[in-house]
Amino acid sequence: MTTKIVMSIIECMFLFSLNIASVVAQQSLFNVPSSEITEKDKLFFQEQVNLLSTGVSNTTLDYGLGNGLEMGLTFLNFDLYTRRHTWFDPMLLLNVQQGFHVTESWKVGIGTQSGSTLPFSGKIAQFASFNYLNNAFDLQEWGKYYLGVYHANTAYAGSGTKVDLMAGIELPVTKDIHIVSDFIKGNNDISVAVFGFVWYATPHWQLSFGTQFSESFNRIEGEVFEFTFVQ
């Protein structure tokens, strides 16, 4: 790791600890990638907490490599508490995403989150992988629209659907507050829908809140809080 990367990580953590805000664009909605790429030599940090019958933390830190490429790590499914007496399998994943413009308003992102489940509670570590291709359409004041396809293996998504669709939408209400909703289709553990909003607090920080539903929208599965920083 170069001195520049180390100094950037230290700077990011320092700003975060001071609660200094910062995001002009988000790298994900709630669960669906947005095809936004971290700029060269910049950092992206996101902390998502899901709360209700279970409490789960998901943490991501990415670094921009330039030419539309970013790379980083995600610590996924870290249990905070449970009321169902069941626990998720935490994962440590490598993120890689390549983005490029097809037109001025149409961007495509191709990426993967791949790594391993962590052998907590005597479980055996398994290779886990989520791979995707996502289209992002930016219609300015008319909103942003997302449509893509994903593949996830059993260790990542559980039994059931391995390949399916994902979609999302972001609609501006005011300059700084947007309605956000996304949807991962499928009959598996990651199929879910979230409806909420994002507040672009400063040019680098955003706060998001949403209600998470089952894929069939017949029950509420939790509340989602998300804090995002882009350097």
Side-chain angles (χ1 to χ4, degrees), residues 32-117:
V32 172
S34 70
S35 301
E36 296 291 345
I37 303 296
T38 306
E39 295 182 6
K40 184 178 180 180
D41 297 331
K42 301 294 185 180
L43 283 170
F44 167 84
F45 172 85
Q46 187 170 76
E47 173 64 27
Q48 183 186 95
V49 179
N50 297 356
L51 302 172
L52 197 62
S53 58
T54 60
V56 180
S57 169
N58 303 310
T59 305
T60 296
L61 181 64
D62 287 335
Y63 182 76
L65 299 175
N67 297 317
L69 181 65
E70 68 178 8
M71 184 178 294
L73 294 173
T74 290
F75 189 21
L76 190 67
N77 290 347
F78 179 77
D79 286 298
L80 302 174
Y81 66 85
T82 182
R83 295 173 182 164
R84 295 177 177 174
H85 306 292
T86 59
W87 302 92
F88 288 96
D89 290 328
M91 307 177 201
L92 183 61
L93 306 171
L94 174 68
N95 305 318
V96 180
Q97 183 177 200
Q98 177 71 57
F100 57 90
H101 284 278
V102 180
T103 68
E104 184 176 341
S105 59
W106 177 16
K107 182 184 290 185
V108 174
I110 301 173
T112 184
Q113 289 187 342
S114 295
S116 177
T117 62

Side-chain angles (χ1 to χ4, degrees), residues 3 16 19-21 26 28 38 75 80 86 90 101 103 108 121-122 153 156 158 164 167-168 181 197 211 215 221 231:
T3 301
F16 182 67
N19 210 18
I20 297 176
Q26 52 188 23
S28 69
T38 306
F75 189 21
L80 302 174
T86 59
H101 284 278
T103 68
V108 174
S121 304
N153 70 357
Y156 190 100
D164 220 313
S181 182
F197 65 88
T211 299
E215 189 226 5
E221 294 194 334
Q231 196 176 29

Side-chain angles (χ1 to χ4, degrees), residues 7 9 23 26 31 41-42 53-54 84 102 105 108 146 169 182 198 209 216 220 228 230:
M7 292 305 296
I9 292 175
V23 146
Q26 52 188 23
N31 296 298
D41 297 331
K42 301 294 185 180
S53 58
T54 60
R84 295 177 177 174
V102 180
S105 59
V108 174
Y146 306 87
I169 187 172
D182 64 5
V198 56
F209 169 79
S216 58
I220 294 177
T228 305
V230 173

Side-chain angles (χ1 to χ4, degrees), residues 8-20:
S8 294
I9 292 175
I10 292 173
E11 181 183 352
C12 180
M13 294 309 180
F14 176 70
L15 291 176
F16 182 67
S17 66
L18 289 178
N19 210 18
I20 297 176

